[in-house]
Amino acid sequence: MSDDITRRDFFRRTALTTAGAGLALSGMASPQKAMAANDKVVVGVVGTGRMGRGNLEDFAKQPEVEVALVCDVYGPNLEAGVKSSAGTAKTCKDFREVLDRKDIDVVIVATPDHWHALIAIAAMEAGADLYLQKPISVDVAEGQAILAAARKLGRVVQVGTQRR
């Protein structure tokens, strides 16, 4: 893997880290200098139940983040997810539609636990970085597969535990 990093990649990874820190340190001041519109981190959310909406709302507070797509198979959660995006996000019920979007930089996975590994690995293979809600997986083998995919593909993976 090359040590070269593009400007866009730098901003995307910095924004992801900032968004993650925002989850833990909500209420802190945002950076003084705004990023250009084309340097926005575009986010797709898969799973817009209670935790998914919380993640979506925390990411959306970051000025460099655009929540572009929300996905949930359950209609009321999908509607609530759109509302949490200030009504600007597109919707879908099939997570593969999120992965098909080449403009998505980060995928938030907040589905029922047994879907985490499959969607996480597919998102990384589609070229997205990942914010993965706990638990990472339902067994050790799935966790190892996620780790192997992240290392192989050079993706950033952050796990939301909200406890420590």
Side-chain angles (χ1 to χ4, degrees):
M1 191 164 93
S2 172
D3 287 335
D4 295 333
I5 187 168
T6 65
R7 182 174 183 273
R8 179 169 173 78
D9 191 46
F10 172 78
F11 279 115
R12 183 180 70 233
R13 290 170 189 241
T14 300
L16 178 61
T17 302
T18 302
L23 293 173
L25 305 170
S26 61
M28 291 189 67
S30 57
Q32 301 245 349
K33 186 175 179 184
M35 296 171 61
N38 63 348
D39 289 331
K40 288 239 180 220
V41 177
V42 181
V43 175
V45 183
V46 181
T48 54
R50 185 176 53 88
M51 289 308 298
R53 277 194 315 276
N55 297 154
L56 183 161
E57 291 165 2
D58 287 335
F59 270 72
K61 289 177 188 174
Q62 306 305 316
E64 62 277 355
V65 170
E66 173 192 344
V67 178
L69 187 61
V70 295
C71 175
D72 203 296
V73 297
Y74 182 58
N77 283 352
L78 188 59
E79 290 171 22
V82 171
K83 191 182 233 182
S84 291
S85 78
T88 60
K90 303 266 189 243
T91 64
C92 66
K93 290 191 172 195
D94 186 335
F95 77 90
R96 293 171 291 194
E97 292 181 43
V98 176
L99 308 182
D100 288 342
R101 293 262 309 254
K102 297 307 174 199
D103 63 327
I104 300 285
D105 298 310
V106 176
V107 173
I108 297 172
V109 178
T111 59
D113 302 349
H114 63 279
W115 282 102
H116 286 191
L118 175 77
I119 297 171
I121 292 169
M124 289 186 285
E125 288 173 343
D129 290 322
L130 192 63
Y131 183 88
L132 181 60
Q133 195 48 249
K134 69 170 175 33
I136 296 168
S137 61
V138 295
D139 63 34
V140 174
E142 285 183 354
Q144 290 170 334
I146 292 170
L147 178 60
R151 287 180 173 162
K152 176 183 174 188
L153 299 166
R155 303 308 333 155
V156 173
V157 177
Q158 181 173 335
V159 177
T161 62
Q162 287 78 38
R163 289 187 181 198
R164 294 170 183 82

